[in-house]
């Protein structure tokens, strides 16, 4: 228990506990409950936004203990922020859960197995070079046919639970993607309209280098000069969402340093979780006198790729793509950043493309940063629900604007025995500009 001078009973410490003025805004109306994925699965009050806010209050007032059970309710939260969109009282659940998770990581003792698993995640994923090195054995596992053999014979089910969940999510790895790197500057085609920076991300840079390349090509085709600093690292989103506050601050400061040197008008992001975190740098670094003002200026420049394209009059001709696509809204785009019309507006510039709306679109697919690694069973249940809803629209392919969702939906499609292609929105736009035939897109491999 971490009693403080001002509040001797509280279970939290003095460093940014969940703020009273924030949790007191909750009027317990319950409007957020139907959009909460964990409440939808279990109907358990303490696994709803209202229940979790109540648990924060109990903890702050010293009427709960930091037990495994207490922590479990917060670990089960996906951080999908659907409750923010649904809340009529404007409760800032994002700030509450981030503060609570940072407290938990500082004050709660996790089991040794859980600690090792989390340390493995946080010492690997945010570091592209380490991740790239670690993926060579995974490439060999796939390229040698061992993966197919283990899956076809059912031996894959004998792997330890955590390893099995990683195996299930592992996208197809190609040598081209493992080696791919973009140049530091890509000139605009035609008259220059904007000079923008591109975030290449950490996991994104290694596993989705094709999405980054497509983003740069589309921006250039639309008249943007694209600056891609080679020394950029992780944005800190994975750390923020998991309560690893110091790591997150460190990543944020380094990214600000790197992009300040580029003097670009905007910083373009194609991963929703990264974008939502970078737009909040001003808040994240509010107590750092060296960075607080710079962080606000940096955050104001951050734009999702769909925001940038929606604001530009289309210039590059789009070839028709006679395809029916189920468009999946990423939570960190629709709920955390309030962006849902722009990706549709951008996709509508592709002739003959039909956009299908998915039932229960507000509910998370279960990807949620590292959620599908630390809570694999719940994530798989949500992934299966999302896939069922996507398939109910009868699409030719599924499109989203966030790499984590692509991996999660692709894994769900495999479980369901429906090998539909899953593409990032910008890959589809790139295909339309490049004139890729629809038939080639339909036969594309999994992400
Ligand atoms: S962030 Fe998502 S999972 Fe967490 S309480 Fe809100 S709606 Fe539920
Ligand atoms: S909708 Fe808002 S005010 Fe109502 S219970 Fe949920 S968080 Fe509280």
């Amino acid at each position: 228990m971490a009693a403080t001078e001002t509040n001797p009973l509280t279970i939290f410490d003095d460093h940014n506990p969940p703020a009273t003025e924030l949790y007191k805004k909750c009027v317990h109306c319950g409007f957020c409950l139907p959009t909460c994925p964990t409440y939808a699965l279990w109907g358990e009050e303490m696994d709803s936004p209202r229940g979790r806010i109540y648990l924060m209050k109990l903890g702050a007032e010293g009427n709960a203990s930091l037990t495994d059970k207490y922590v479990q309710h917060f670990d089960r939260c996906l951080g999908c922020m659907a409750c923010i969109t649904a809340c009529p009282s404007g409760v800032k659940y994002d700030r509450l859960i981030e503060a609570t998770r940072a407290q938990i990581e500082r004050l709660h003792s996790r089991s040794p197995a859980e600690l090792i698993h989390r340390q493995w995640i946080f010492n690997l994923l945010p570091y592209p070079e380490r991740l790239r090195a670690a993926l060579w054995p995974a490439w060999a596992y796939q390229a040698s046919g061992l993966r197919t053999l283990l899956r076809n014979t059912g031996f894959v089910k004998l792997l330890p639970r955590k390893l099995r969940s990683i195996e299930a999510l592992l996208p197809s790895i190609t040598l081209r993607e493992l080696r791919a790197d973009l140049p530091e500057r890509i000139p605009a085609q035609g008259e220059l309209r904007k000079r923008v920076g591109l975030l290449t991300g950490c996991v994104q840079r290694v596993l989705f280098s094709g999405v980054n390349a497509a983003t740069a090509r589309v921006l250039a085709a639309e008249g943007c000069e694209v600056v891609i600093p080679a020394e950029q690292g992780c944005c800190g989103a994975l750390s923020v969402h998991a309560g690893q506050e110091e790591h997150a601050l460190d990543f944020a400061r380094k990214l600000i340093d790197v992009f300040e040197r580029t003097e670009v008008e905007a910083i373009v992001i194609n991963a929703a979780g990264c974008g939502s975190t970078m737009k909040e740098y001003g808040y994240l670094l509010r107590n750092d006198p060296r960075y607080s003002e710079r962080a606000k200026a940096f955050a104001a420049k951050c734009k999702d790729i769909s925001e940038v394209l929606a604001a530009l009059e289309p210039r590059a001709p789009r070839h028709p793509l006679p395809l029916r696509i189920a468009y999946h809204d990423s939570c960190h785009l629709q709920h955390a950043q309030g962006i849902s019309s722009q990706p549709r507006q951008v996709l509508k510039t592709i002739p003959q493309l039909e956009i299908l709306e998915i039932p229960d679109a507000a509910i998370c697919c279960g990807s949620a940063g590292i959620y599908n690694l630390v809570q694999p069973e719940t994530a798989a249940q949500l992934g299966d629900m999302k896939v069922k809803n996507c398939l109910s629209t009868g699409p030719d392919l599924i499109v989203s604007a966030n790499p984590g969702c692509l991996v999660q939906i692709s894994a769900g499609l495999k479980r369901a025995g429906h090998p539909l292609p899953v593409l990032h929105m910008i890959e589809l736009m790139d295909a339309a500009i490049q004139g890729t035939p629809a038939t080639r897109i339909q036969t594309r491999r999994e992400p």
Side-chain angles (χ1 to χ4, degrees), residues 166-180:
I166 295 167
E167 201 282 338
L169 292 169
L170 200 64
S172 290
I173 301 161
T174 62
L175 280 181
R176 195 162 57 105
E177 268 171 329
L178 275 184
R179 290 186 180 135

Side-chain angles (χ1 to χ4, degrees), residues 362-384:
I363 301 263
C364 181
C365 67
S367 169
I370 62 163
Y371 194 87
N372 49 10
L373 294 175
V374 293
Q375 303 279 339
E377 287 87 6
T378 309
Q381 270 180 286
L382 291 168
D384 290 345

Side-chain angles (χ1 to χ4, degrees), residues 307-357:
E307 289 180 282
V308 176
L309 295 180
L312 287 173
E313 188 62 32
R315 181 197 277 178
R318 276 83 160 141
H319 295 83
L321 285 178
L323 292 167
R324 288 162 54 82
I325 63 154
Y327 180 75
H328 161 65
D329 285 286
S330 143
C331 292
H332 276 93
L333 211 51
Q334 68 169 330
H335 301 307
Q337 297 184 57
I339 294 174
S340 59
S341 64
Q342 295 91 328
R344 290 171 172 81
Q345 184 186 332
V346 171
L347 287 169
K348 277 179 186 160
T349 64
I350 302 175
Q352 296 180 23
L353 191 77
E354 190 180 346
I355 304 171
L356 310 166
E357 297 298 337

Side-chain angles (χ1 to χ4, degrees), residues 76-155:
R76 285 173 170 176
C77 169
L78 291 111
C80 67
M81 309 309 167
C83 47
I84 294 185
T85 307
C87 177
S89 303
V91 173
K92 291 190 185 308
Y93 182 83
D94 49 346
R95 303 224 160 132
L96 283 167
I97 188 70
E98 271 166 28
T100 306
R101 285 201 159 137
Q103 292 277 343
I104 287 171
E105 293 315 306
R106 276 200 299 278
L107 304 172
H108 176 65
S109 305
R110 293 189 181 276
S111 71
E114 184 64 24
L115 266 183
I116 291 170
H117 186 51
R118 283 176 179 254
Q119 274 174 8
W120 173 79
I121 291 171
F122 287 108
N123 282 308
L124 182 65
L125 298 190
Y127 302 95
E129 288 318 313
R130 291 182 204 172
L131 182 59
R132 207 168 261 157
L135 282 172
W136 281 103
W139 169 78
Y141 165 66
Q142 294 179 356
S144 65
L146 186 59
R147 181 184 217 185
T148 312
L149 183 72
L150 286 190
R151 286 187 171 184
N152 289 350
T153 55
F155 277 117

